Amino acid sequence: MFTDISDSIEACAAHYGNDADAMRQYLIDGQQKSLELPNRGPILFEADGQLSSEIRAAYLKYGFYIFENVLDAQELSDIEQDLTQLKQRFAVKNGDKVNAKGETALGVDCKAPNLLWAKPLGDPLGGTPIANGRHQVKLFEPTAAIDAPEESPFVLLGSLQFSPACLRTYAHPELLKVAQAINGEDFAPFHECLFIKEPGLGAAVSWHQDGDTHWDTPAFDAQIHGFNFMAQAYGSTAVNGVWVVPGSHVLGRQNIKQMVVDAGSERLPDALPIICNAGDVVICNRQLVHGSFANTGFEPRITINFGFHKRSSVLDVKGAGIHSEAAIYDADMIEKRAHAIGYAIEARRAQYPNETPYSYKPLAHSSTDFSWQPDTLAKLKDYNLLDLSI
């Protein structure tokens, strides 16, 4: 059962003027196409411990799969409590050093970027050189309410250092087993963040593909730029969610400007929304053409993003310079960045002592003490300076 978003569809369409009818029908048709696609269900493994062949085949075909009911009610409650506390720690406005209580705002003492802000219902990346210009077109920017703030929080980077609940979710044993199935037991970390799409405020993310480094390599394949898990705190809809072009991950780098020209609008005809409930986790290939419209509806979306790479995709490879400074990722740097996985596993073990934790092979012989302690989050400060960005 999914949330009835009829009112949100109408509210969204109302922002589009002469295109209102076209946008309304696009949302309705996209919703129907998404729910008909055979790529959702619980995480299932074969008798030998491998990921279900049906799940693997669907993921490889479409480029994404929706794992249902991964996070139980207690874990979702813990996440929601953390999100509430995080919001209370946000600066009053972009550039401020204190929160509404006059306390030091979240992340102001960090060297690494963390809380990013955007104009309500804007598209801060589209048509700009940011992220090596991969957001090739600017999406329509609806007009926000007259009482909307000048800017609102959009993305929280390096989220594991700020949220114990997100750190624990990062080490969900079944999700890490999926990562192993897709990228091998020596898989490497990538990047973590929270996407914040509040009703009436949440900014758009223009159509793009995440991969940057390996498009022209002779070893190119459909998995070379890794994947993201997208855990849903509140669910995802056709209005507030990510839209994808299924199967586009196998086609190489796409000319998105031309795709929009061919479509006659930003409403790409082959795209559909990822629709899921709170507690569902999406695995999404980073090479998929994807994006999201401004959240002009009534349902919030906060997505807990965390991604993983094949080790061969990052070892001795020069990074793209998007999520961190461009550098050649040697074995020592990869292991240091992977310490976040070790801390997360132990944080989860402390919270769920009756759960069998995942065993991450690359850290099996590490001398680092990853045990969950009161200062564990402090050890992760600025860890995202080492994001393995390809």
Side-chain angles (χ1 to χ4, degrees):
M1 183 67 67
F2 298 95
T3 302
D4 180 355
I5 63 161
S6 300
D7 290 344
S8 287
I9 289 176
E10 291 301 322
C12 179
H15 283 272
Y16 281 76
N18 292 335
D19 286 335
D21 290 342
M23 187 61 178
R24 179 187 301 106
Q25 197 61 50
Y26 186 69
L27 295 171
I28 292 171
D29 291 346
Q31 180 174 257
Q32 181 176 345
K33 288 191 297 183
S34 179
L35 295 178
E36 290 174 351
L37 213 60
N39 67 333
R40 67 175 66 238
I43 300 178
L44 297 174
F45 297 94
E46 309 284 8
D48 61 359
Q50 296 299 308
L51 184 64
S52 160
S53 58
E54 289 82 5
I55 291 175
R56 190 179 182 93
Y59 170 65
L60 295 177
K61 178 178 180 179
Y62 299 113
F64 74 107
Y65 195 95
I66 301 162
F67 295 121
E68 296 180 316
N69 301 313
V70 177
L71 310 181
D72 64 20
Q74 182 58 58
E75 187 159 4
L76 280 172
S77 177
D78 291 344
I79 290 169
E80 187 168 6
Q81 289 179 41
D82 261 23
L83 295 178
T84 298
Q85 293 171 3
L86 285 176
K87 291 178 185 179
Q88 293 171 351
R89 295 172 62 195
F90 288 171
V92 175
K93 61 181 180 180
N94 192 9
D96 279 3
K97 303 296 184 183
V98 296
N99 66 4
K101 297 180 180 180
E103 303 163 336
T104 300
L106 178 143
V108 297
D109 60 342
C110 291
K111 295 179 180 178
N114 44 81
L115 188 61
L116 306 182
W117 299 65
K119 180 181 76 172
L121 305 184
D123 177 7
L125 303 176
T128 74
I130 298 171
N132 294 341
R134 68 186 181 193
H135 302 82
Q136 299 172 28
V137 299
K138 181 172 284 293
L139 297 184
F140 173 68
E141 297 181 314
T143 300
I146 193 169
D147 60 348
E150 183 178 342
E151 291 183 292
S152 63
F154 174 44
V155 181
L156 179 62
L157 307 173
S159 49
L160 301 184
Q161 66 190 300
F162 302 117
S163 168
C166 290
L167 183 66
R168 293 191 292 265
T169 297
Y170 184 55
H172 193 291
E174 290 200 337
L175 292 176
L176 293 182
K177 284 175 66 177
V178 172
Q180 175 179 319
I182 301 299
N183 287 339
E185 62 184 2
D186 60 349
F187 64 87
F190 159 47
H191 163 79
E192 303 80 39
C193 70
L194 298 180
F195 269 100
I196 303 167
K197 301 271 281 195
E198 298 288 3
L201 298 175
V205 179
S206 179
W207 297 113
H208 66 289
Q209 294 169 290
D210 286 335
D212 193 84
T213 301
H214 292 300
W215 294 113
D216 300 319
T217 180
F220 177 82
D221 65 59
Q223 309 301 320
I224 201 167
H225 287 110
F227 69 82
N228 285 317
F229 283 128
M230 300 187 293
Q232 304 300 322
Y234 303 111
S236 177
T237 75
V239 173
N240 69 21
V242 175
W243 285 63
V244 300
V245 179
S248 56
H249 61 301
V250 305
L251 302 177
R253 193 196 300 266
Q254 297 296 286
N255 184 335
I256 293 173
K257 286 184 179 179
Q258 190 61 50
M259 292 173 69
V260 170
V261 169
D262 293 344
S265 79
E266 64 190 30
R267 297 182 293 277
L268 300 182
D270 295 329
L272 52 80
I274 298 177
I275 296 176
C276 45
N277 291 319
D280 293 349
V281 179
V282 183
I283 180 173
C284 186
N285 189 296
R286 295 184 65 238
Q287 293 172 190
L288 274 180
V289 174
H290 64 288
S292 62
F293 302 106
N295 186 9
T296 49
F298 303 114
E299 294 79 26
R301 175 168 70 86
I302 297 184
T303 298
I304 303 158
N305 263 45
F306 50 104
F308 298 103
H309 293 307
K310 293 189 293 186
R311 185 164 296 262
S312 59
S313 293
V314 292
L315 181 60
D316 297 327
V317 169
K318 186 175 182 180
I322 294 176
H323 301 89
S324 59
E325 292 293 328
I328 294 176
Y329 304 138
D330 61 21
D332 289 342
M333 183 174 178
I334 294 171
E335 179 173 341
K336 186 174 182 180
R337 181 59 177 78
H339 282 184
I341 300 175
Y343 287 122
I345 289 171
E346 294 307 313
R348 190 171 182 93
R349 187 200 303 267
Q351 184 77 358
Y352 303 105
N354 296 323
E355 181 182 84
T356 301
Y358 180 79
S359 179
Y360 181 54
K361 183 178 179 180
L363 295 179
H365 303 293
S366 174
S367 60
T368 301
D369 178 12
F370 294 112
S371 62
W372 176 247
Q373 302 294 338
D375 66 342
T376 295
L377 288 187
K379 294 178 182 178
L380 286 166
K381 182 178 178 180
D382 286 328
Y383 78 97
N384 53 314
L385 287 172
L386 299 178
D387 280 353
L388 304 179
S389 176
I390 56 169

